[in-house]
Amino acid sequence: MLRFVAISSLKNRYFWKVTVKEIMERRVMHMDLDSFFVSVERLQNSALMGKPVIICGSSDRGVVSSCSYEARQFGVHSAMSAKLARQLCPQGIFISGDMDAYSKHSRIVTEIIESRAPVVEKASIDEHYLDISGMDKYIKTATLWAHELRETIMQQTGLPISFGLSNNKTVSKIATNEAKPNGEKYIDLGLEKQFLAPLSIKKMPGVGDKTYVQLRSMGIEKIETVQQMQVGLFQRVMGENGVLIWKRCNAIDNNPVEPYSEQKSMSTETTFDKDTTDVQHLKRMVVSMVHELAFQLRKQEKVTGCVTLKLRYSDFQTHTFQMKIPYTASDHVIQKKLLELLDKNYTRRVLIRLIGIKFSHLVNGFNQINLFDDTEEMVKLYQAMDKIRLKFGDSAIKKAGGLGMGRRGEGHLPPGKDA
Amino acid sequence: MNFVVSSGALLKQLKSIGGVLNSSNTIPILDCFLFEVAKGELTLSASDMETTITTSLKVEASESGSLAIPAKTLLEALSNLPEQPISIIVEKSKLTAKLKTANGDYTLTGHNGEEYPKLPKLESQSSIVIKSDILLSAINKTIFATGNDDLRPVMSGVFCQFNETNSIFVATDAHKLVRYTRNDAKAGSVAGFIMPKKPLNVLKGLLSGIDDAVKIEFNKTNALYSFGSINLVCRLIDGKYPNYEAVIPKQNPNKLTIDRSQLLGALKRVSVFANKATHQIRLKVAGSSLTVSAEDLDFANDGTEHLVCTYIGEDMEIGFNSKFLVEMVSNLDSDEITIEMSAPNRAGIILPSQKSNPGEDVLMLVMPVMLNN
């Protein structure tokens, strides 16, 4: 088992102690739950089977976080606005989603995988990377083992899952996408480039809409074309990112499967039901979001040293403003700073579509009590509120100033997390 | 204007007042010392607009006048000269100062002395006389606890209060607080002001090794400290000092007494293993054992030490910023110290167990961090 750790979890510095052959012959597996949110909904309500199901916010303003394959036939895809989805697929069943249930099922899947695989990286709520290099010493074959793992997960959880298996993370992820839905794909050693060659460049992770347009304007449609080109050209045109894309297209990705990574920031955001210029409303929303996030901060025994405010105007122009602060986990300190940022920067009087906050520079530690700002009652109030929330859930107690802020704190959905 | 002065004496005086000058200034004249000669006396001044300090020495002068001379160049030139009398000849029309020495002649170009910031005149002032050693130890004991927050300027200074029975000096940055009381320094009337940090640091340098009494004259905006040949005028911090008495807890049933140097050593060693950004450590008291521990989850480092102490009260666990504790414990000078506490979310008070000076009363307070338990 030690061998796997040596290959996967050590950083680049130690990487060279592992032979090139060992890197080239890794067996990296990418597992992805098929339309995960929909699958969980179907577990809870079998009437949804075989029907176009779309998970999105409760209002017309949200975006699609997940949709069933039946819905995809109508052109619906994740991250599309809910309004458009409704127009494309009026017969679809729209569900507002239950983040708590999704997290629960996700944990169950992770537990099954961790009980069997030596090195597991949970990449998102429905994605896992596994490094199973060298397992063939102990098991029949990697392919058979992977197949059995998939069967087990589907049997025990009832959730369809797909996977791709190759010698690196990028190729495995693309293989999973090709295998979906409910499939598995093995890329034999040495055949990675060949597998990628006929695929559209758009399937490459890291190629978004902008990059895609740029690549198409360079005459590149298939990954094959990139494989025939020189890396220097990509570097000139797109800089470091270009080199990364070129490498990936050539099936070069030495990134290890990292079982644990430190959280660097935490954030939350809200899209309004209706674009607004109501400053009071915006402030109340900030208060409510701080209340929610600062609790997470304290729960994880962390303090933040930098807060960020994000504003998206109705014309989709997005601005972020950040401020360094002394390390803290106090609602009222963070709230004051963010409201200051809002006051200072919301000057355009343009309708606001979305508001978000982010805490970064996270450090393990506890909140330093202030002699003058924190009265004893205040300190006790925080402790009591946190205790209630730990016991009865995040939304058990709220600040009056943040009341009536829609579904805040009840597990809103991140857009496009599910495939 | 020209005069003859000992190079060593001049350098010593200039160095003592040079601390006031800022290293970079927008107005070039603030990079200069002001030289004024009148009636056989040379007056040297340094100013940063907020604080102005002057000192004087006797010279052989043939005519009076003034010139502002660039400080950095002059200090460098003087510190490389062997001790000797030098004559300085100022040409007002060219704004130059020529230093005639046994080694050679040097010319510096300065600024018109009349443009130098003037010492503000103090009107409707009160005054107090205080012994220099009392003032010096008051500065030493309090200045480290002042804050740096631009948003709360009052906390960036030391609050000095004088009354008929004692003098009290207070500094706080909202996380730690020091109250230094001298029962042997009294004033005729009740008065108080907030001294900024920078002139206090300058005073600290000037007062060591001086035995004179210091006369403090002040009004609402400025304070003048005079002792020996030195006059220091500074602008006071305007504002209301927070009500510090209200935040010092009176009921502290848990009392921990411990050897100061042992605790300091343990804190310094254990804090190495604390998180480098938050410096947080835990103190756990049970019976007569104090456990000091710290951990840095990012690097999986941790440190623990066990110390023997005398403890009265319930067992408790409390978290502190180790930097604050180290600063406070190293600023006390008794052999043993007492830490008084009540609850993990309330202030800890650090007191010397024995008084080294009967007229002195030190109280240090530190706020804990809110541990999740």
Side-chain angles (χ1 to χ4, degrees):
Chain A
M1 284 295 179
L2 270 177
R3 225 172 93 96
F4 309 129
V5 179
I7 296 171
S8 304
S9 66
L10 295 182
K11 297 267 165 12
N12 293 341
R13 188 147 61 97
Y14 299 103
F15 224 112
W16 303 110
K17 291 187 180 168
V18 183
T19 62
V20 173
K21 188 164 179 281
E22 276 176 317
I23 296 175
M24 294 305 293
E25 293 183 1
R26 283 188 302 165
R27 293 277 78 190
V28 176
M29 194 170 153
H30 177 255
M31 302 195 89
D32 195 326
L33 290 148
D34 301 336
S35 54
F36 176 50
F37 295 169
V38 175
S39 303
V40 174
E41 292 297 340
R42 282 179 174 166
L43 269 188
Q44 291 167 350
N45 179 5
S46 58
L48 298 174
M49 290 287 184
K51 299 207 172 109
V53 179
I54 297 161
I55 314 278
C56 63
S58 50
S59 71
D60 255 358
R61 308 263 305 165
V63 289
V64 175
S65 3
S66 175
C67 56
S68 70
Y69 284 88
E70 290 79 6
R72 285 176 208 203
Q73 287 173 355
F74 295 90
V76 179
H77 58 80
S78 54
M80 166 184 279
S81 87
K83 205 170 185 174
L84 187 57
R86 248 177 244 273
Q87 284 167 4
L88 287 171
C89 182
Q91 68 272 54
I93 301 163
F94 288 77
I95 299 174
S96 62
D98 175 0
M99 205 62 193
D100 288 344
Y102 305 153
S103 304
K104 195 184 101 195
H105 285 278
S106 169
R107 267 199 302 279
I108 296 172
V109 173
T110 309
E111 272 166 28
I112 297 172
I113 297 175
E114 279 178 345
S115 70
R116 292 175 165 239
V119 184
V120 182
E121 174 182 337
K122 185 162 184 169
S124 75
I125 193 160
D126 58 354
E127 275 180 285
H128 297 81
Y129 285 102
L130 289 68
D131 190 333
I132 54 170
S133 318
M135 285 279 278
D136 37 13
K137 279 189 183 164
Y138 309 97
I139 54 172
K140 293 140 262 178
T141 58
T143 44
L144 192 59
W145 182 88
H147 176 76
E148 281 173 7
L149 176 63
R150 177 170 165 254
E151 294 282 302
T152 312
I153 294 168
M154 293 200 293
Q155 252 171 33
Q156 294 188 3
T157 63
L159 297 166
I161 190 164
S162 304
F163 74 81
L165 179 67
S166 75
N167 72 345
N168 67 54
K169 283 165 107 174
T170 304
V171 176
S172 292
K173 189 178 166 76
I174 297 172
T176 309
N177 289 339
E178 291 303 299
K180 279 188 164 202
N182 208 353
E184 42 198 75
K185 198 157 187 86
Y186 312 94
I187 312 298
D188 286 333
L189 280 176
L191 298 181
E192 294 84 8
K193 273 179 83 170
Q194 211 173 312
F195 160 68
L196 294 180
L199 300 175
S200 158
I201 186 73
K202 200 162 190 180
K203 297 204 165 162
M204 188 52 66
V207 178
D209 288 342
K210 272 189 189 162
T211 321
Y212 180 65
V213 169
Q214 195 177 6
L215 287 169
R216 284 307 301 268
S217 71
M218 288 162 72
I220 301 166
E221 191 192 344
K222 298 267 193 285
I223 291 177
E224 192 175 12
T225 323
V226 181
Q227 289 174 351
Q228 289 158 357
M229 291 167 80
Q230 294 294 313
V231 64
L233 177 66
F234 278 83
Q235 183 157 26
R236 274 200 302 283
V237 178
M238 286 184 279
E240 279 310 301
N241 193 34
V243 177
L244 194 69
I245 290 173
W246 183 87
K247 278 189 174 172
R248 284 178 171 169
C249 288
N250 281 281
I252 304 169
D253 175 12
N254 291 343
N255 281 330
V257 175
E258 290 188 84
Y260 175 77
S261 62
E262 189 68 35
Q263 189 181 8
K264 290 189 181 70
S265 68
M266 47 174 74
S267 61
T268 181
E269 56 187 46
T270 309
T271 307
F272 292 111
D273 291 341
K274 225 179 139 204
D275 293 350
T276 181
T277 53
D278 181 350
V279 178
Q280 287 313 316
H281 189 66
L282 289 170
K283 284 185 176 172
R284 288 222 307 276
M285 190 53 92
V286 170
V287 170
S288 156
M289 290 192 293
V290 169
H291 177 73
E292 176 188 321
L293 219 53
F295 168 63
Q296 293 301 327
L297 207 56
R298 291 193 296 271
K299 199 160 105 182
Q300 297 177 22
E301 302 190 347
K302 286 199 164 104
V303 285
T304 173
C306 184
V307 293
T308 308
L309 178 76
K310 176 173 167 186
L311 293 178
R312 176 169 296 154
Y313 297 101
S314 54
D315 55 1
F316 276 85
Q317 266 196 50
T318 310
H319 298 269
T320 58
F321 313 95
Q322 68 175 37
M323 188 191 255
K324 276 197 175 175
I325 56 169
Y327 288 107
T328 182
S330 267
D331 289 21
H332 64 275
V333 177
I334 298 170
Q335 184 181 313
K336 203 177 130 201
K337 298 285 176 191
L338 281 167
L339 290 177
E340 259 175 54
L341 279 177
L342 179 63
D343 271 336
K344 213 167 92 189
N345 296 299
Y346 180 48
T347 47
R348 277 183 67 198
R349 288 289 145 206
V350 175
L351 285 163
I352 287 191
R353 177 184 167 84
L354 171 148
I355 187 164
I357 62 169
K358 182 168 97 175
F359 301 163
S360 47
H361 297 204
L362 301 184
V363 177
N364 285 300
F366 300 98
N367 195 31
Q368 167 74 53
I369 305 174
N370 188 297
L371 198 48
F372 302 102
D373 294 344
D374 301 324
T375 57
E376 209 190 321
E377 290 77 29
M378 188 86 109
V379 172
K380 283 188 175 157
L381 179 67
Y382 277 125
Q383 287 177 332
M385 288 200 346
D386 288 355
K387 223 174 249 175
I388 291 171
R389 282 189 277 182
L390 279 174
K391 198 165 174 184
F392 300 106
D394 289 6
S395 53
I397 186 161
K398 287 185 177 189
K399 281 195 176 174
L403 267 184
M405 289 293 112
R407 291 166 42 252
R408 290 235 58 78
E410 289 153 40
H412 46 285
L413 302 170
K417 265 291 170 70
D418 185 23
Chain B
M1 133 181 141
N2 53 54
F3 56 91
V4 180
V5 64
S6 144
S7 65
L10 180 62
L11 179 62
K12 193 174 158 236
Q13 297 288 344
L14 289 177
K15 273 189 175 165
S16 70
I17 64 170
V20 170
L21 299 176
N22 286 329
S23 49
S24 62
N25 289 301
T26 41
I27 313 168
I29 201 166
L30 293 177
D31 292 328
C32 298
F33 289 120
L34 175 66
F35 282 67
E36 287 170 297
V37 173
K39 295 172 196 157
E41 198 173 55
L42 167 67
T43 308
L44 303 165
S45 312
S47 175
D48 69 348
M49 307 290 279
E50 302 269 312
T51 306
T52 305
I53 180 164
T54 68
T55 179
S56 57
L57 65 164
K58 290 267 177 281
V59 290
E60 287 171 37
S62 53
E63 55 184 285
S64 54
S66 70
L67 185 74
I69 302 176
K72 202 166 163 250
T73 321
L74 185 62
L75 284 172
E76 272 180 34
L78 289 175
S79 55
N80 287 312
L81 269 183
E83 168 68 49
Q84 61 185 287
I86 54 173
S87 66
I88 299 181
I89 301 151
V90 170
E91 270 196 61
K92 190 90 200 256
S93 56
K94 289 192 200 156
L95 295 175
T96 57
K98 184 183 261 184
L99 278 63
K100 274 188 173 273
T101 73
N103 304 72
D105 296 353
Y106 316 99
T107 311
L108 276 142
T109 307
H111 297 268
N112 187 353
E114 274 127 48
E115 289 166 11
Y116 206 78
K118 298 276 177 302
L119 268 181
K121 280 268 174 294
L122 264 68
E123 278 156 17
S124 67
Q125 82 273 28
S126 336
S127 75
I128 307 151
V129 177
I130 188 166
K131 276 196 208 145
S132 63
D133 61 325
I134 294 183
L135 186 60
L136 182 60
S137 62
I139 297 173
N140 280 331
K141 286 276 190 297
T142 52
I143 199 159
F144 76 91
T146 52
N148 290 315
D149 190 353
D150 294 337
L151 297 173
R152 308 183 81 163
V154 290
M155 288 200 195
S156 66
V158 174
F159 186 38
C160 312
Q161 288 168 289
F162 304 96
N163 56 54
E164 287 96 340
T165 51
N166 56 17
S167 304
I168 305 171
F169 304 86
V170 182
T172 182
D173 66 353
H175 297 135
K176 54 187 184 287
L177 180 145
V178 178
R179 184 186 68 190
Y180 183 77
T181 312
R182 286 303 290 236
N183 299 314
D184 50 358
K186 295 164 193 172
S189 59
V190 179
F193 53 82
I194 307 167
M195 271 292 287
K197 203 184 292 190
K198 189 179 169 193
L200 283 178
N201 269 321
V202 175
L203 269 177
K204 203 166 102 175
L206 293 170
L207 286 170
S208 45
I210 280 189
D211 223 8
D212 304 338
V214 179
K215 187 179 182 201
I216 310 173
E217 291 167 77
F218 59 91
N219 60 11
K220 277 202 166 134
T221 52
N222 290 285
L224 163 66
Y225 291 75
S226 41
F227 51 95
S229 60
I230 288 176
N231 285 306
L232 180 146
V233 182
C234 66
R235 191 177 295 165
L236 297 171
I237 298 175
D238 185 27
K240 193 176 176 301
Y241 205 75
N243 183 3
Y244 64 91
E245 284 294 347
V247 296
I248 301 175
K250 304 289 180 292
Q251 300 292 323
N252 300 296
N254 303 346
K255 289 187 171 52
L256 182 149
T257 306
I258 191 163
D259 185 273
R260 189 181 69 91
S261 58
Q262 271 188 17
L263 177 65
L264 184 59
L267 289 174
K268 282 184 173 169
R269 287 186 294 271
V270 172
S271 61
V272 172
F273 297 90
N275 184 293
K276 294 283 176 283
T278 57
H279 310 283
Q280 292 179 357
I281 58 162
R282 277 167 199 262
L283 304 187
K284 196 172 180 180
V285 226
S288 62
S289 145
L290 169 68
T291 308
V292 182
S293 64
E295 58 179 352
D296 187 351
L297 293 175
D298 293 348
F299 298 95
N301 293 343
D302 64 78
T304 310
E305 283 199 30
H306 300 281
L307 299 169
V308 178
C309 63
T310 315
Y311 183 64
I312 310 166
E314 279 177 32
D315 291 356
M316 68 183 287
E317 188 173 9
I318 188 165
F320 286 112
N321 182 325
S322 61
K323 268 178 111 181
F324 298 165
L325 280 188
V326 168
E327 276 175 335
M328 302 198 136
V329 175
S330 54
N331 253 289
L332 290 167
D333 31 41
S334 66
D335 292 338
E336 281 198 328
I337 55 165
T338 304
I339 306 179
E340 297 189 351
M341 295 167 288
S342 57
N345 57 16
R346 298 191 67 190
I349 293 174
I350 308 176
L351 303 163
S353 299
Q354 316 87 13
K355 276 189 189 177
S356 54
N357 182 337
E360 185 187 72
D361 188 11
V362 197
L363 178 142
M364 297 191 174
L365 176 152
V366 57
M367 290 308 282
V369 294
M370 210 153 49
L371 296 179
N372 290 6
N373 280 321

